Amino acid sequence: MLTLLRRYGTLIGFAAILLFFWISLPDTFMTARNWLNISQQMSMLIVVAAGMTIVMVMGDFDLSVGSMASLAGIAVAVLFTVDLPIWAAVSLALMVGLVGGAINGVLISFIGILPFVATLATLTMLSGLAFVVSGGKTISGRVIPEGFSSFARGGLSLGEWGGVAITLPNLTLVAIVIVALVWVLLEQTTFGRRLYAIGGNIEAAHLSGVAVRKLKLIAFALTGSTAALAGIMYASRVASANPTQGSSLMLNAIAGVFLGSTFSEHGEPRVLGTILGVLILGILDNGLTQLSVDSYIRQILVGGIIILAVSTSSLTKHLRS
């Protein structure tokens, strides 16, 4: 029973949540349109959480991803004001995340600052920089090219279902591509195996010849890049950018990774588990919103479910040992 609970407890809880909302919202919840809507709403968080998984497999985390996303969104909007082409503005905004993540990697790997302290400091700095660059205002209107904002509104046609046209949103497609790339990186490459080795025992990995500092720097740079991409996706979706648009991404991304780790047999972060964790958060938010549950009650319920899932996983491991 302990083995069953440890391996499938979160999955059973996930199924129970689906069943509850299916029964409570029979006409709207289990529909293709609603699920595609959930996928689009959660696409930015999925991208950030996939990137967060890269550093969390090493036992680290990045508190600056929310501010990184906000700054990248501001950067791409500001670059549009100087009539830069879409591809160039997006590329430069992605560089913001790459450089910001690399700075985190240098602070943690080469200077030796604890991840909590280093990324908390860069969180504050990046947040302030986003306000400085934007002048503390939302950037919107004609400065945002139609081709940029229309990307989020488009998608891949999947035909018709029940007489209703079904389209897979472009933002969901981007999230799927990022998840696939991160899965290949972590599960199918030497780079990924070395990251897991660092997370298992950093001293043993170092003594085995693993370039710990270099790998950590690369991992944080990749995490920063995914955060920047999420900020650009959000700016495309709402056709605007503001200095606080990514503020909720960090905590939800970490929560998604922790929830996802409960699907793993040994409790280590896996990107597919992370996506399931994010999906749980998205389904909860969507279902509770449709039930007209107040936002603060939703926060309490989501927090409680995270505590229950992670503590149950930890307890079963302790009892098993």
Side-chain angles (χ1 to χ4, degrees), residues 28-270:
T28 58
F29 184 72
M30 293 298 287
T31 63
R33 177 166 294 180
N34 186 53
W35 280 89
L36 290 173
N37 182 48
I38 292 173
S39 74
Q40 185 180 43
Q41 290 177 341
M42 303 306 294
S43 58
M44 287 75 70
L45 179 56
I46 288 173
V47 170
V48 174
M52 184 71 77
T53 306
I54 298 175
V55 295
M56 289 188 70
V57 300
M58 303 185 299
D60 295 330
F61 49 86
D62 188 348
L63 300 180
S64 69
V65 291
S67 296
M68 198 87 71
S70 297
L71 181 58
I74 290 294
V76 74
V78 168
L79 290 170
F80 287 145
T81 63
V82 295
D83 296 326
L84 215 59
I86 294 176
W87 68 268
V90 169
S91 299
L92 290 175
L94 286 174
M95 288 297 295
V96 170
L98 181 66
V99 172
I103 291 173
N104 283 333
V106 170
L107 293 175
I108 293 165
S109 301
F110 292 90
I111 299 180
I113 302 176
L114 293 175
F116 177 83
V117 178
T119 58
L120 180 61
T122 52
L123 177 156
T124 307
M125 294 174 63
L126 293 172
S127 178
L129 188 57
F131 275 94
V132 169
V133 173
S134 65
K137 301 177 181 179
T138 298
I139 302 174
S140 60
R142 296 181 179 179
V143 298
I144 307 297
E146 174 62 25
F148 179 74
S149 58
S150 64
F151 176 80
R153 297 194 299 268
L156 177 64
S157 177
L158 300 179
E160 292 188 0
W161 187 1
V164 178
I166 303 299
T167 301
L168 186 64
N170 284 332
L171 296 184
T172 302
L173 291 172
V174 172
I176 291 172
V177 170
I178 295 301
V179 169
L181 291 175
V182 173
W183 180 82
V184 170
L185 182 71
L186 293 179
E187 306 291 340
Q188 305 295 320
T189 67
T190 302
F191 176 81
R193 288 192 291 272
R194 288 175 177 173
L195 292 187
Y196 278 106
I198 293 172
N201 190 321
I202 189 171
E203 291 298 329
H206 176 71
L207 294 174
S208 299
V210 175
V212 174
R213 291 181 175 179
K214 179 181 176 181
L215 292 180
K216 280 198 171 191
L217 189 152
I218 295 173
F220 275 96
L222 291 174
T223 300
S225 299
T226 56
L229 177 59
I232 295 168
M233 293 166 64
Y234 190 89
S236 174
R237 186 184 177 203
V238 299
S240 64
N242 69 76
T244 61
Q245 65 185 18
S247 58
S248 65
L249 289 173
M250 180 266 290
L251 290 177
N252 286 330
I254 293 176
V257 178
F258 274 124
L259 269 177
S261 67
T262 64
F263 289 99
S264 172
E265 182 177 356
H266 301 290
E268 74 274 13
R270 299 282 179 179

